[in-house]
Amino acid sequence: MGPTADESVLRLLYGEHGGALLGYALRLTGGDRAQAEDIVQETLLRAWRHPEALAGRPVRPWLFTVARNLAVDAHRARRARPPETGIDERLVALPGSDDIDRALESWTVAEALAELSPAHRAVLVQTFYRGLSVAEAARVLGVPPGTVKSRTYYALRALRLALEERGVTTP
């Protein structure tokens, strides 16, 4: 007996997005492969159970959003449980939920930045991360100030698109 249509869809989703989803989940879980695999499995299961959620929209951003939400929920659930025995010193060193949210956002932005062209990435690093003025960034990058302005404009548009593809909405 061959796979059903539903199983074929699930296999196709895994084939197209499983690797990227696992890599993302590994970053979300701090490298905990078992937890990352659980997140991928649950994400794909939700996609399989709710195909209407995927209709008419890009699939990968939806999958990444679900995976992120699962990781955050799992982290919050672990923090909400009372300790089973005494205080484990390793647990005291775990970051708070604000730290986790900030780290998740940071990874998402870093992934999106990595997709930009080197010229666009360089101008954003100089102007936003290093806080240089247009004139200062122009000197550092060896381009005219007008080029810095233009590249910044197009780099921000490309970054917004890359973030939207990951399910991050921007105001």
Side-chain angles (χ1 to χ4, degrees):
M1 179 175 216
T4 66
D6 286 344
E7 290 172 349
S8 296
V9 169
L10 193 56
R11 289 178 196 275
L12 181 65
L13 278 175
Y14 183 77
E16 287 184 27
H17 307 287
L21 198 55
L22 180 60
Y24 183 62
L26 280 167
R27 287 188 294 281
L28 293 174
T29 60
D32 183 337
R33 187 164 188 90
Q35 187 181 6
E37 288 172 352
D38 287 347
I39 288 172
V40 170
Q41 181 179 0
E42 181 63 25
T43 299
L44 292 173
L45 184 62
R46 288 185 184 193
W48 179 67
R49 285 183 180 157
H50 302 284
E52 72 281 358
L54 302 175
R57 67 166 37 158
V59 174
R60 190 169 285 196
W62 186 89
L63 293 172
F64 275 56
T65 299
V66 170
R68 180 187 184 282
N69 291 341
L70 288 169
V72 169
D73 290 348
H75 174 74
R76 288 180 179 155
R78 281 190 308 276
R79 287 180 44 111
R81 284 187 216 117
E84 293 178 10
T85 60
I87 296 178
D88 185 342
E89 292 304 318
R90 295 172 294 170
L91 296 178
V92 173
L94 286 177
S97 70
D98 287 344
D99 295 335
I100 293 293
D101 288 342
R102 214 170 306 125
L104 293 173
E105 290 169 4
S106 176
W107 286 330
T108 302
V109 171
E111 286 177 335
L113 277 171
E115 287 185 9
L116 300 181
S117 71
H120 285 164
R121 190 170 41 253
V123 77
L124 290 181
V125 166
Q126 296 303 322
T127 56
F128 283 91
Y129 289 101
R130 294 200 175 136
L132 299 183
S133 68
V134 169
E136 293 168 330
R139 275 194 302 280
V140 169
L141 297 171
V143 296
T147 301
V148 170
K149 290 178 185 179
S150 174
R151 284 185 187 167
T152 301
Y153 173 80
Y154 288 108
L156 288 173
R157 285 182 58 185
L159 182 61
R160 173 177 279 188
L161 179 62
L163 289 170
E164 286 174 354
E165 288 174 355
R166 285 169 173 72
V168 176
T169 56
T170 55

mmCIF file of all heavy atoms in Angstrom, residues 5-18 21 38-67 70:
data_model
loop_
_atom_site.group_PDB
_atom_site.id
_atom_site.type_symbol
_atom_site.label_atom_id
_atom_site.label_comp_id
_atom_site.label_asym_id
_atom_site.label_seq_id
_atom_site.Cartn_x
_atom_site.Cartn_y
_atom_site.Cartn_z
ATOM 1 N N ALA A 5 -2.306 10.707 -0.014
ATOM 2 C CA ALA A 5 -2.025 12.072 -0.487
ATOM 3 C C ALA A 5 -1.522 12.939 0.664
ATOM 4 O O ALA A 5 -0.597 13.728 0.497
ATOM 5 C CB ALA A 5 -3.276 12.678 -1.112
ATOM 6 N N ASP A 6 -2.133 12.770 1.857
ATOM 7 C CA ASP A 6 -1.702 13.548 3.022
ATOM 8 C C ASP A 6 -0.249 13.248 3.375
ATOM 9 O O ASP A 6 0.522 14.142 3.691
ATOM 10 C CB ASP A 6 -2.579 13.248 4.231
ATOM 11 C CG ASP A 6 -3.961 13.880 4.118
ATOM 12 O OD1 ASP A 6 -4.130 14.770 3.275
ATOM 13 O OD2 ASP A 6 -4.849 13.462 4.877
ATOM 14 N N GLU A 7 0.122 11.966 3.350
ATOM 15 C CA GLU A 7 1.503 11.595 3.657
ATOM 16 C C GLU A 7 2.455 12.166 2.622
ATOM 17 O O GLU A 7 3.556 12.601 2.959
ATOM 18 C CB GLU A 7 1.634 10.078 3.714
ATOM 19 C CG GLU A 7 0.957 9.452 4.911
ATOM 20 C CD GLU A 7 0.934 7.924 4.834
ATOM 21 O OE1 GLU A 7 1.251 7.358 3.777
ATOM 22 O OE2 GLU A 7 0.593 7.314 5.857
ATOM 23 N N SER A 8 2.023 12.208 1.377
ATOM 24 C CA SER A 8 2.870 12.765 0.318
ATOM 25 C C SER A 8 3.118 14.252 0.552
ATOM 26 O O SER A 8 4.230 14.734 0.354
ATOM 27 C CB SER A 8 2.222 12.558 -1.054
ATOM 28 O OG SER A 8 2.125 11.185 -1.337
ATOM 29 N N VAL A 9 2.079 14.951 0.973
ATOM 30 C CA VAL A 9 2.226 16.385 1.260
ATOM 31 C C VAL A 9 3.204 16.581 2.414
ATOM 32 O O VAL A 9 4.079 17.450 2.360
ATOM 33 C CB VAL A 9 0.850 17.020 1.585
ATOM 34 C CG1 VAL A 9 1.007 18.422 2.144
ATOM 35 C CG2 VAL A 9 -0.025 17.029 0.350
ATOM 36 N N LEU A 10 3.067 15.759 3.442
ATOM 37 C CA LEU A 10 3.959 15.863 4.587
ATOM 38 C C LEU A 10 5.403 15.565 4.185
ATOM 39 O O LEU A 10 6.325 16.272 4.582
ATOM 40 C CB LEU A 10 3.505 14.913 5.694
ATOM 41 C CG LEU A 10 4.140 15.108 7.061
ATOM 42 C CD1 LEU A 10 3.936 16.517 7.569
ATOM 43 C CD2 LEU A 10 3.556 14.117 8.049
ATOM 44 N N ARG A 11 5.593 14.546 3.371
ATOM 45 C CA ARG A 11 6.944 14.217 2.890
ATOM 46 C C ARG A 11 7.510 15.365 2.048
ATOM 47 O O ARG A 11 8.688 15.692 2.145
ATOM 48 C CB ARG A 11 6.928 12.930 2.079
ATOM 49 C CG ARG A 11 6.703 11.695 2.903
ATOM 50 C CD ARG A 11 6.659 10.445 2.003
ATOM 51 N NE ARG A 11 6.096 9.323 2.676
ATOM 52 C CZ ARG A 11 6.774 8.498 3.468
ATOM 53 N NH1 ARG A 11 8.058 8.708 3.667
ATOM 54 N NH2 ARG A 11 6.183 7.489 4.059
ATOM 55 N N LEU A 12 6.671 15.955 1.209
ATOM 56 C CA LEU A 12 7.100 17.072 0.379
ATOM 57 C C LEU A 12 7.501 18.266 1.241
ATOM 58 O O LEU A 12 8.548 18.890 1.023
ATOM 59 C CB LEU A 12 5.984 17.472 -0.588
ATOM 60 C CG LEU A 12 6.289 18.618 -1.545
ATOM 61 C CD1 LEU A 12 7.404 18.218 -2.508
ATOM 62 C CD2 LEU A 12 5.045 19.003 -2.312
ATOM 63 N N LEU A 13 6.681 18.580 2.259
ATOM 64 C CA LEU A 13 7.018 19.668 3.180
ATOM 65 C C LEU A 13 8.354 19.417 3.864
ATOM 66 O O LEU A 13 9.197 20.307 3.958
ATOM 67 C CB LEU A 13 5.938 19.829 4.253
ATOM 68 C CG LEU A 13 4.703 20.627 3.889
ATOM 69 C CD1 LEU A 13 3.685 20.569 5.019
ATOM 70 C CD2 LEU A 13 5.051 22.060 3.584
ATOM 71 N N TYR A 14 8.524 18.188 4.348
ATOM 72 C CA TYR A 14 9.777 17.859 5.024
ATOM 73 C C TYR A 14 10.953 17.942 4.052
ATOM 74 O O TYR A 14 12.009 18.472 4.380
ATOM 75 C CB TYR A 14 9.706 16.473 5.671
ATOM 76 C CG TYR A 14 10.966 16.158 6.425
ATOM 77 C CD1 TYR A 14 11.195 16.723 7.674
ATOM 78 C CD2 TYR A 14 11.951 15.338 5.881
ATOM 79 C CE1 TYR A 14 12.364 16.473 8.378
ATOM 80 C CE2 TYR A 14 13.123 15.086 6.576
ATOM 81 C CZ TYR A 14 13.321 15.654 7.815
ATOM 82 O OH TYR A 14 14.484 15.421 8.491
ATOM 83 N N GLY A 15 10.761 17.424 2.847
ATOM 84 C CA GLY A 15 11.839 17.445 1.856
ATOM 85 C C GLY A 15 12.269 18.855 1.491
ATOM 86 O O GLY A 15 13.455 19.140 1.336
ATOM 87 N N GLU A 16 11.306 19.766 1.369
ATOM 88 C CA GLU A 16 11.615 21.139 0.963
ATOM 89 C C GLU A 16 12.094 22.011 2.120
ATOM 90 O O GLU A 16 12.913 22.900 1.925
ATOM 91 C CB GLU A 16 10.380 21.794 0.332
ATOM 92 C CG GLU A 16 10.068 21.280 -1.046
ATOM 93 C CD GLU A 16 8.898 22.028 -1.673
ATOM 94 O OE1 GLU A 16 8.670 23.210 -1.316
ATOM 95 O OE2 GLU A 16 8.223 21.428 -2.507
ATOM 96 N N HIS A 17 11.557 21.777 3.311
ATOM 97 C CA HIS A 17 11.806 22.711 4.406
ATOM 98 C C HIS A 17 12.431 22.075 5.646
ATOM 99 O O HIS A 17 12.812 22.797 6.568
ATOM 100 C CB HIS A 17 10.495 23.398 4.812
ATOM 101 C CG HIS A 17 9.779 24.043 3.674
ATOM 102 N ND1 HIS A 17 10.213 25.207 3.090
ATOM 103 C CD2 HIS A 17 8.671 23.661 2.983
ATOM 104 C CE1 HIS A 17 9.399 25.531 2.095
ATOM 105 N NE2 HIS A 17 8.457 24.608 2.006
ATOM 106 N N GLY A 18 12.522 20.761 5.688
ATOM 107 C CA GLY A 18 12.989 20.072 6.893
ATOM 108 C C GLY A 18 14.382 20.478 7.331
ATOM 109 O O GLY A 18 14.614 20.732 8.516
ATOM 110 N N LEU A 21 14.394 24.072 8.570
ATOM 111 C CA LEU A 21 13.620 24.122 9.808
ATOM 112 C C LEU A 21 14.400 23.524 10.969
ATOM 113 O O LEU A 21 14.407 24.070 12.071
ATOM 114 C CB LEU A 21 12.300 23.383 9.597
ATOM 115 C CG LEU A 21 11.165 23.630 10.559
ATOM 116 C CD1 LEU A 21 10.830 25.111 10.671
ATOM 117 C CD2 LEU A 21 9.935 22.849 10.122
ATOM 118 N N ASP A 38 12.032 17.541 17.988
ATOM 119 C CA ASP A 38 10.648 17.570 18.470
ATOM 120 C C ASP A 38 9.906 18.782 17.915
ATOM 121 O O ASP A 38 8.739 18.686 17.522
ATOM 122 C CB ASP A 38 10.607 17.599 19.999
ATOM 123 C CG ASP A 38 10.979 16.271 20.637
ATOM 124 O OD1 ASP A 38 11.030 15.243 19.914
ATOM 125 O OD2 ASP A 38 11.243 16.260 21.856
ATOM 126 N N ILE A 39 10.570 19.928 17.885
ATOM 127 C CA ILE A 39 9.953 21.143 17.364
ATOM 128 C C ILE A 39 9.640 20.985 15.881
ATOM 129 O O ILE A 39 8.553 21.344 15.422
ATOM 130 C CB ILE A 39 10.855 22.371 17.625
ATOM 131 C CG1 ILE A 39 10.823 22.717 19.116
ATOM 132 C CG2 ILE A 39 10.429 23.571 16.773
ATOM 133 C CD1 ILE A 39 11.803 23.783 19.532
ATOM 134 N N VAL A 40 10.581 20.432 15.118
ATOM 135 C CA VAL A 40 10.346 20.214 13.683
ATOM 136 C C VAL A 40 9.172 19.265 13.483
ATOM 137 O O VAL A 40 8.274 19.515 12.668
ATOM 138 C CB VAL A 40 11.620 19.677 12.987
ATOM 139 C CG1 VAL A 40 11.314 19.211 11.572
ATOM 140 C CG2 VAL A 40 12.701 20.746 12.970
ATOM 141 N N GLN A 41 9.160 18.185 14.239
ATOM 142 C CA GLN A 41 8.074 17.201 14.116
ATOM 143 C C GLN A 41 6.726 17.839 14.439
ATOM 144 O O GLN A 41 5.758 17.666 13.698
ATOM 145 C CB GLN A 41 8.341 16.016 15.038
ATOM 146 C CG GLN A 41 7.272 14.948 14.947
ATOM 147 C CD GLN A 41 7.578 13.760 15.853
ATOM 148 O OE1 GLN A 41 8.577 13.722 16.539
ATOM 149 N NE2 GLN A 41 6.689 12.796 15.850
ATOM 150 N N GLU A 42 6.653 18.581 15.525
ATOM 151 C CA GLU A 42 5.393 19.219 15.907
ATOM 152 C C GLU A 42 4.982 20.287 14.888
ATOM 153 O O GLU A 42 3.799 20.432 14.573
ATOM 154 C CB GLU A 42 5.505 19.833 17.304
ATOM 155 C CG GLU A 42 4.234 20.502 17.785
ATOM 156 C CD GLU A 42 3.036 19.570 17.945
ATOM 157 O OE1 GLU A 42 3.237 18.342 18.148
ATOM 158 O OE2 GLU A 42 1.895 20.064 17.857
ATOM 159 N N THR A 43 5.944 21.023 14.356
ATOM 160 C CA THR A 43 5.645 22.038 13.342
ATOM 161 C C THR A 43 5.039 21.401 12.103
ATOM 162 O O THR A 43 4.011 21.856 11.593
ATOM 163 C CB THR A 43 6.932 22.814 12.968
ATOM 164 O OG1 THR A 43 7.438 23.463 14.134
ATOM 165 C CG2 THR A 43 6.659 23.850 11.891
ATOM 166 N N LEU A 44 5.663 20.326 11.621
ATOM 167 C CA LEU A 44 5.148 19.650 10.428
ATOM 168 C C LEU A 44 3.802 18.985 10.710
ATOM 169 O O LEU A 44 2.927 18.962 9.843
ATOM 170 C CB LEU A 44 6.171 18.637 9.915
ATOM 171 C CG LEU A 44 7.443 19.267 9.351
ATOM 172 C CD1 LEU A 44 8.473 18.203 9.018
ATOM 173 C CD2 LEU A 44 7.138 20.122 8.131
ATOM 174 N N LEU A 45 3.633 18.485 11.909
ATOM 175 C CA LEU A 45 2.358 17.880 12.285
ATOM 176 C C LEU A 45 1.247 18.928 12.258
ATOM 177 O O LEU A 45 0.140 18.674 11.766
ATOM 178 C CB LEU A 45 2.468 17.246 13.676
ATOM 179 C CG LEU A 45 1.245 16.486 14.171
ATOM 180 C CD1 LEU A 45 0.931 15.308 13.252
ATOM 181 C CD2 LEU A 45 1.488 15.985 15.590
ATOM 182 N N ARG A 46 1.542 20.114 12.731
ATOM 183 C CA ARG A 46 0.537 21.186 12.707
ATOM 184 C C ARG A 46 0.220 21.612 11.276
ATOM 185 O O ARG A 46 -0.926 21.920 10.957
ATOM 186 C CB ARG A 46 0.996 22.374 13.543
ATOM 187 C CG ARG A 46 0.944 22.053 15.019
ATOM 188 C CD ARG A 46 1.269 23.225 15.882
ATOM 189 N NE ARG A 46 1.282 22.818 17.281
ATOM 190 C CZ ARG A 46 1.300 23.658 18.279
ATOM 191 N NH1 ARG A 46 1.295 24.958 18.060
ATOM 192 N NH2 ARG A 46 1.317 23.209 19.520
ATOM 193 N N ALA A 47 1.237 21.633 10.423
ATOM 194 C CA ALA A 47 1.004 21.957 9.011
ATOM 195 C C ALA A 47 0.111 20.893 8.369
ATOM 196 O O ALA A 47 -0.786 21.207 7.586
ATOM 197 C CB ALA A 47 2.331 22.061 8.268
ATOM 198 N N TRP A 48 0.332 19.639 8.726
ATOM 199 C CA TRP A 48 -0.438 18.532 8.181
ATOM 200 C C TRP A 48 -1.882 18.582 8.685
ATOM 201 O O TRP A 48 -2.815 18.342 7.936
ATOM 202 C CB TRP A 48 0.248 17.219 8.561
ATOM 203 C CG TRP A 48 -0.437 15.985 8.103
ATOM 204 C CD1 TRP A 48 -0.593 15.557 6.812
ATOM 205 C CD2 TRP A 48 -1.048 14.989 8.927
ATOM 206 N NE1 TRP A 48 -1.258 14.368 6.781
ATOM 207 C CE2 TRP A 48 -1.552 13.992 8.078
ATOM 208 C CE3 TRP A 48 -1.208 14.856 10.300
ATOM 209 C CZ2 TRP A 48 -2.198 12.863 8.551
ATOM 210 C CZ3 TRP A 48 -1.854 13.731 10.772
ATOM 211 C CH2 TRP A 48 -2.350 12.754 9.902
ATOM 212 N N ARG A 49 -2.044 18.921 9.968
ATOM 213 C CA ARG A 49 -3.384 18.973 10.556
ATOM 214 C C ARG A 49 -4.184 20.190 10.100
ATOM 215 O O ARG A 49 -5.409 20.182 10.136
ATOM 216 C CB ARG A 49 -3.295 19.010 12.086
ATOM 217 C CG ARG A 49 -2.944 17.702 12.688
ATOM 218 C CD ARG A 49 -2.960 17.809 14.194
ATOM 219 N NE ARG A 49 -2.624 16.535 14.817
ATOM 220 C CZ ARG A 49 -2.152 16.416 16.039
ATOM 221 N NH1 ARG A 49 -1.973 17.487 16.785
ATOM 222 N NH2 ARG A 49 -1.874 15.235 16.534
ATOM 223 N N HIS A 50 -3.487 21.250 9.715
ATOM 224 C CA HIS A 50 -4.164 22.496 9.349
ATOM 225 C C HIS A 50 -3.706 22.991 7.974
ATOM 226 O O HIS A 50 -3.102 24.067 7.868
ATOM 227 C CB HIS A 50 -3.909 23.571 10.405
ATOM 228 C CG HIS A 50 -4.348 23.173 11.776
ATOM 229 N ND1 HIS A 50 -5.661 23.162 12.152
ATOM 230 C CD2 HIS A 50 -3.643 22.733 12.853
ATOM 231 C CE1 HIS A 50 -5.757 22.740 13.398
ATOM 232 N NE2 HIS A 50 -4.551 22.473 13.847
ATOM 233 N N PRO A 51 -3.994 22.246 6.920
ATOM 234 C CA PRO A 51 -3.544 22.670 5.585
ATOM 235 C C PRO A 51 -4.153 24.001 5.160
ATOM 236 O O PRO A 51 -3.564 24.721 4.362
ATOM 237 C CB PRO A 51 -3.995 21.526 4.671
ATOM 238 C CG PRO A 51 -5.084 20.826 5.426
ATOM 239 C CD PRO A 51 -4.771 21.011 6.873
ATOM 240 N N GLU A 52 -5.310 24.343 5.726
ATOM 241 C CA GLU A 52 -5.949 25.616 5.380
ATOM 242 C C GLU A 52 -5.084 26.803 5.804
ATOM 243 O O GLU A 52 -5.149 27.873 5.199
ATOM 244 C CB GLU A 52 -7.349 25.713 6.006
ATOM 245 C CG GLU A 52 -7.381 25.925 7.505
ATOM 246 C CD GLU A 52 -7.140 24.667 8.361
ATOM 247 O OE1 GLU A 52 -6.976 23.559 7.821
ATOM 248 O OE2 GLU A 52 -7.113 24.811 9.589
ATOM 249 N N ALA A 53 -4.254 26.623 6.821
ATOM 250 C CA ALA A 53 -3.387 27.709 7.284
ATOM 251 C C ALA A 53 -2.297 28.028 6.269
ATOM 252 O O ALA A 53 -1.754 29.123 6.260
ATOM 253 C CB ALA A 53 -2.753 27.347 8.627
ATOM 254 N N LEU A 54 -1.988 27.057 5.412
ATOM 255 C CA LEU A 54 -0.924 27.247 4.429
ATOM 256 C C LEU A 54 -1.446 27.734 3.079
ATOM 257 O O LEU A 54 -0.668 28.158 2.240
ATOM 258 C CB LEU A 54 -0.169 25.923 4.227
ATOM 259 C CG LEU A 54 0.459 25.315 5.470
ATOM 260 C CD1 LEU A 54 1.046 23.958 5.142
ATOM 261 C CD2 LEU A 54 1.513 26.235 6.020
ATOM 262 N N ALA A 55 -2.745 27.649 2.884
ATOM 263 C CA ALA A 55 -3.330 28.002 1.591
ATOM 264 C C ALA A 55 -3.142 29.486 1.290
ATOM 265 O O ALA A 55 -3.426 30.347 2.118
ATOM 266 C CB ALA A 55 -4.819 27.654 1.586
ATOM 267 N N GLY A 56 -2.612 29.760 0.104
ATOM 268 C CA GLY A 56 -2.483 31.130 -0.362
ATOM 269 C C GLY A 56 -1.407 31.951 0.312
ATOM 270 O O GLY A 56 -1.455 33.170 0.285
ATOM 271 N N ARG A 57 -0.434 31.304 0.925
ATOM 272 C CA ARG A 57 0.642 32.052 1.586
ATOM 273 C C ARG A 57 1.932 31.263 1.434
ATOM 274 O O ARG A 57 1.909 30.055 1.245
ATOM 275 C CB ARG A 57 0.332 32.286 3.055
ATOM 276 C CG ARG A 57 0.307 31.017 3.883
ATOM 277 C CD ARG A 57 0.324 31.215 5.368
ATOM 278 N NE ARG A 57 -0.422 32.346 5.802
ATOM 279 C CZ ARG A 57 -0.908 32.503 7.006
ATOM 280 N NH1 ARG A 57 -0.717 31.587 7.907
ATOM 281 N NH2 ARG A 57 -1.578 33.568 7.343
ATOM 282 N N PRO A 58 3.079 31.945 1.559
ATOM 283 C CA PRO A 58 4.354 31.218 1.541
ATOM 284 C C PRO A 58 4.434 30.270 2.742
ATOM 285 O O PRO A 58 4.064 30.639 3.857
ATOM 286 C CB PRO A 58 5.409 32.320 1.638
ATOM 287 C CG PRO A 58 4.703 33.589 1.296
ATOM 288 C CD PRO A 58 3.257 33.380 1.638
ATOM 289 N N VAL A 59 4.906 29.068 2.501
ATOM 290 C CA VAL A 59 4.910 28.031 3.523
ATOM 291 C C VAL A 59 6.023 28.239 4.545
ATOM 292 O O VAL A 59 5.797 28.125 5.752
ATOM 293 C CB VAL A 59 5.048 26.638 2.864
ATOM 294 C CG1 VAL A 59 5.207 25.547 3.903
ATOM 295 C CG2 VAL A 59 3.841 26.363 1.980
ATOM 296 N N ARG A 60 7.243 28.530 4.088
ATOM 297 C CA ARG A 60 8.384 28.581 5.008
ATOM 298 C C ARG A 60 8.206 29.597 6.136
ATOM 299 O O ARG A 60 8.463 29.280 7.289
ATOM 300 C CB ARG A 60 9.683 28.828 4.249
ATOM 301 C CG ARG A 60 10.896 28.647 5.167
ATOM 302 C CD ARG A 60 12.186 28.630 4.431
ATOM 303 N NE ARG A 60 12.335 27.347 3.760
ATOM 304 C CZ ARG A 60 13.479 26.897 3.291
ATOM 305 N NH1 ARG A 60 14.573 27.609 3.414
ATOM 306 N NH2 ARG A 60 13.541 25.739 2.682
ATOM 307 N N PRO A 61 7.752 30.828 5.858
ATOM 308 C CA PRO A 61 7.569 31.759 6.986
ATOM 309 C C PRO A 61 6.579 31.224 8.015
ATOM 310 O O PRO A 61 6.784 31.396 9.218
ATOM 311 C CB PRO A 61 7.041 33.033 6.318
ATOM 312 C CG PRO A 61 7.508 32.953 4.920
ATOM 313 C CD PRO A 61 7.542 31.491 4.582
ATOM 314 N N TRP A 62 5.520 30.566 7.547
ATOM 315 C CA TRP A 62 4.540 30.004 8.475
ATOM 316 C C TRP A 62 5.192 28.928 9.325
ATOM 317 O O TRP A 62 5.023 28.902 10.547
ATOM 318 C CB TRP A 62 3.342 29.444 7.694
ATOM 319 C CG TRP A 62 2.220 28.980 8.567
ATOM 320 C CD1 TRP A 62 1.176 29.728 9.009
ATOM 321 C CD2 TRP A 62 2.030 27.666 9.116
ATOM 322 N NE1 TRP A 62 0.346 28.961 9.793
ATOM 323 C CE2 TRP A 62 0.842 27.685 9.871
ATOM 324 C CE3 TRP A 62 2.734 26.472 9.043
ATOM 325 C CZ2 TRP A 62 0.362 26.578 10.557
ATOM 326 C CZ3 TRP A 62 2.252 25.355 9.717
ATOM 327 C CH2 TRP A 62 1.080 25.412 10.467
ATOM 328 N N LEU A 63 5.974 28.052 8.701
ATOM 329 C CA LEU A 63 6.650 26.986 9.435
ATOM 330 C C LEU A 63 7.620 27.567 10.465
ATOM 331 O O LEU A 63 7.675 27.102 11.608
ATOM 332 C CB LEU A 63 7.393 26.059 8.475
ATOM 333 C CG LEU A 63 6.528 25.212 7.541
ATOM 334 C CD1 LEU A 63 7.404 24.495 6.506
ATOM 335 C CD2 LEU A 63 5.685 24.213 8.307
ATOM 336 N N PHE A 64 8.394 28.566 10.079
ATOM 337 C CA PHE A 64 9.364 29.165 10.994
ATOM 338 C C PHE A 64 8.660 29.860 12.160
ATOM 339 O O PHE A 64 9.134 29.811 13.297
ATOM 340 C CB PHE A 64 10.271 30.156 10.247
ATOM 341 C CG PHE A 64 11.447 29.501 9.584
ATOM 342 C CD1 PHE A 64 11.292 28.469 8.681
ATOM 343 C CD2 PHE A 64 12.735 29.924 9.857
ATOM 344 C CE1 PHE A 64 12.370 27.859 8.069
ATOM 345 C CE2 PHE A 64 13.841 29.330 9.248
ATOM 346 C CZ PHE A 64 13.653 28.298 8.356
ATOM 347 N N THR A 65 7.529 30.498 11.882
ATOM 348 C CA THR A 65 6.779 31.150 12.950
ATOM 349 C C THR A 65 6.249 30.119 13.941
ATOM 350 O O THR A 65 6.349 30.307 15.161
ATOM 351 C CB THR A 65 5.614 31.981 12.366
ATOM 352 O OG1 THR A 65 6.171 32.984 11.510
ATOM 353 C CG2 THR A 65 4.805 32.642 13.459
ATOM 354 N N VAL A 66 5.702 29.025 13.419
ATOM 355 C CA VAL A 66 5.197 27.969 14.296
ATOM 356 C C VAL A 66 6.346 27.392 15.130
ATOM 357 O O VAL A 66 6.210 27.201 16.340
ATOM 358 C CB VAL A 66 4.483 26.863 13.484
ATOM 359 C CG1 VAL A 66 4.184 25.647 14.354
ATOM 360 C CG2 VAL A 66 3.197 27.410 12.870
ATOM 361 N N ALA A 67 7.486 27.136 14.495
ATOM 362 C CA ALA A 67 8.638 26.576 15.217
ATOM 363 C C ALA A 67 9.090 27.534 16.319
ATOM 364 O O ALA A 67 9.372 27.109 17.443
ATOM 365 C CB ALA A 67 9.783 26.293 14.253
ATOM 366 N N LEU A 70 6.635 27.409 19.169
ATOM 367 C CA LEU A 70 6.787 26.169 19.926
ATOM 368 C C LEU A 70 7.999 26.245 20.854
ATOM 369 O O LEU A 70 7.937 25.800 22.007
ATOM 370 C CB LEU A 70 6.915 24.974 18.985
ATOM 371 C CG LEU A 70 5.637 24.564 18.249
ATOM 372 C CD1 LEU A 70 5.958 23.548 17.156
ATOM 373 C CD2 LEU A 70 4.612 24.016 19.221
#
